[in-house]
Amino acid sequence: ICFNEEIRLCEVGSWRAEPELPQAHSKLYTAQPDFTPSSPGALELTPTHQPKATAKVALHAWMRAAIMRCLLCYAISVASFQVQLHGIKTARARSVHEPEARYLRSPINQLSESRDGPDNSVEQGHETSTIQIIEALFGSEDSSRAFARNDVAEHNSLKRFNHIKPELQYGEFALDFFIALLRRALPRHGEIFVDLGSGCGRLVLAAALLHRWRLCAGAEVLEDLHAIAVDAHSRLASYAEAQEPCVALSPCEFACDDATKALPHLVHSSKAAASTLQITQPCVVVFIYATCWPSVGPYLSDLSETLGTHIADGSRVITIDKQLVDGGSWTFDLIDTLDMPNYNTHESRGYVYVKKHYVGRPSRARN
């Protein structure tokens, strides 16, 4: 190992100078004036101890320099990461309220063209265009906009309840899964659609585009998500009005309240009872993304009681991952199930029920 051009270690414990040491180095090996090698008890100063000391000093200096370089690189990487993180958060916050109208033109044109084909092609084209319009407004369920809305929901939950409630865990349901379940519920003209836990209003607006409802309603307890839903509905309504008759949007209403408190209001609201000739209570199609809802095992006991009390016979209820139970004067008959991939849970099962009047002993939940 060579530390400079003058000193070279030839073997362990010995060294030699090539060429003769310069004056700066020779000072290291010069004895004091009163020192003589022949003095009794004196330790003869030989150069064999000095290269080891020089190597130790050089090694320490090299280690200090290496540590400083590592610390400098770490500081630069942390600063770069902070800058990138700030940019991502800024982009997410901006994208929550910035759907671009130019992304809506293509689905609107496709929706208009699809009305000229056969019945099946009309329905498929209508569903495809609805998905494209909703994703233009909100992004897909795995987009940066969805992650931004998740941040909004967590912040709002912390601000209101000082912690994130499990039942308020935010997740966006896949549109193709929702449309397939809604098709199995057999919606009819003039009925009411209600999404309990509607979040930013994606599914409410999708339903409003898909079918002719008397009212499409959503209930959401978090104020910030409710505000996003109201803003998105305003944007879509103004755009649909400009594109009429290519786009037909059913009347929509959003309530910022607990689902069990909002359901009676939405079902019996002035918009829902718009027809003065309506004698019986209109049927309702209720959707509940119930994966994180409070339950007794897989059964939604409290929610079943609320639904059985306030919705009309013949109404259909769609639940995700959890099931309804029967009551003393009503039953929820399971008419269909559907398993499909779910971005939030890997895979989910949807249950489609119909409410019927029943007098007698309460029965068990239907699997």
Side-chain angles (χ1 to χ4, degrees):
I1 303 174
C2 297
F3 295 96
N4 50 48
E5 295 181 357
E6 292 81 15
I7 302 175
R8 184 177 53 141
L9 296 178
C10 298
E11 57 184 1
V12 178
S14 64
W15 68 280
R16 61 191 179 88
E18 295 181 358
E20 184 178 357
L21 291 174
Q23 183 176 2
H25 289 269
S26 62
K27 293 180 180 179
L28 296 174
Y29 314 105
T30 303
Q32 298 296 330
D34 58 346
F35 176 83
T36 57
S38 58
S39 301
L43 177 64
E44 182 179 359
L45 179 62
T46 60
T48 55
H49 301 286
Q50 296 302 323
K52 295 181 180 180
T54 305
K56 188 174 182 180
V57 172
L59 180 61
H60 287 175
W62 180 85
M63 291 178 63
R64 285 194 298 270
I67 292 173
M68 292 300 296
R69 284 194 297 269
C70 291
L71 291 175
L72 180 61
C73 292
Y74 174 76
I76 294 174
S77 62
V78 169
S80 176
F81 175 77
Q82 292 291 341
V83 171
Q84 294 177 4
L85 184 61
H86 176 73
I88 292 173
K89 289 183 176 180
T90 303
R92 284 184 177 181
R94 188 185 304 117
S95 66
V96 173
H97 296 284
E98 290 185 357
E100 298 185 24
R102 61 190 178 91
Y103 291 129
L104 296 174
R105 298 192 186 107
S106 177
I108 294 295
N109 295 335
Q110 293 178 12
L111 180 59
S112 178
E113 295 169 359
S114 68
R115 297 180 184 273
D116 300 328
D119 291 345
N120 290 339
S121 63
V122 169
E123 182 178 359
Q124 293 176 359
H126 187 67
E127 292 175 352
T128 301
S129 297
T130 296
I131 292 175
Q132 292 175 340
I133 291 172
I134 297 301
E135 289 188 347
L137 280 170
F138 297 99
S140 62
E141 61 270 15
D142 58 348
S143 66
S144 61
R145 296 184 188 181
F147 292 129
R149 289 188 289 271
N150 181 70
D151 295 340
V152 170
E154 290 184 355
H155 176 74
N156 200 179
S157 181
L158 287 172
K159 181 175 66 175
R160 179 168 180 176
F161 304 103
N162 295 323
H163 67 283
I164 300 176
K165 287 189 173 183
E167 60 268 27
L168 297 181
Q169 181 65 43
Y170 185 75
E172 297 192 350
F173 197 68
L175 291 171
D176 54 349
F177 197 174
F178 169 72
I179 291 173
L181 289 169
L182 192 60
R183 194 186 304 124
R184 283 163 171 75
L186 302 175
R188 294 185 288 270
H189 178 75
E191 293 184 325
I192 301 171
F193 173 81
V194 178
D195 181 8
L196 297 181
S198 56
C200 62
R202 289 172 66 251
L203 301 187
V204 175
L205 297 180
L209 289 170
L210 285 169
H211 298 285
R212 298 280 186 168
W213 306 92
R214 176 173 301 179
L215 175 68
C216 278
E220 174 57 49
V221 71
L222 298 179
E223 297 89 347
D224 292 345
L225 292 179
H226 169 74
I228 295 174
V230 172
D231 179 70
H233 172 245
S234 176
R235 290 170 180 266
L236 182 58
S238 60
Y239 195 80
E241 183 179 358
Q243 295 292 330
E244 197 176 7
C246 297
V247 179
L249 188 68
S250 298
C252 296
E253 182 178 345
F254 294 93
C256 185
D257 203 348
D258 182 77
T260 57
K261 297 178 181 178
L263 180 63
H265 164 73
L266 295 174
V267 172
H268 302 287
S269 67
S270 57
K271 289 184 179 180
S275 175
T276 57
L277 300 178
Q278 184 73 23
I279 300 175
T280 60
Q281 181 181 349
C283 288
V284 184
V285 177
V286 183
F287 179 85
I288 307 124
Y289 192 0
T291 304
C292 297
W293 277 57
S295 61
V296 181
Y299 302 118
L300 299 163
S301 303
D302 295 339
L303 182 60
S304 299
E305 181 72 24
T306 301
L307 292 169
T309 304
H310 294 289
I311 64 176
D313 295 340
S315 297
R316 280 84 68 209
V317 181
I318 304 170
T319 64
I320 305 300
D321 292 328
K322 294 184 180 180
Q323 305 172 52
L324 300 178
V325 297
D326 298 340
S329 60
W330 38 261
T331 64
F332 287 107
D333 290 346
L334 183 64
I335 59 177
D336 208 343
T337 61
L338 179 63
D339 296 326
M340 284 187 68
N342 185 347
Y343 176 78
N344 299 297
T345 62
H346 182 65
E347 187 175 25
S348 288
R349 169 169 291 186
Y351 300 89
V352 183
Y353 296 90
V354 59
K355 185 208 170 187
K356 294 182 178 179
H357 184 71
Y358 176 80
V359 178
R361 183 181 177 183
S363 59
R364 300 180 63 186
R366 289 163 169 76
N367 293 323

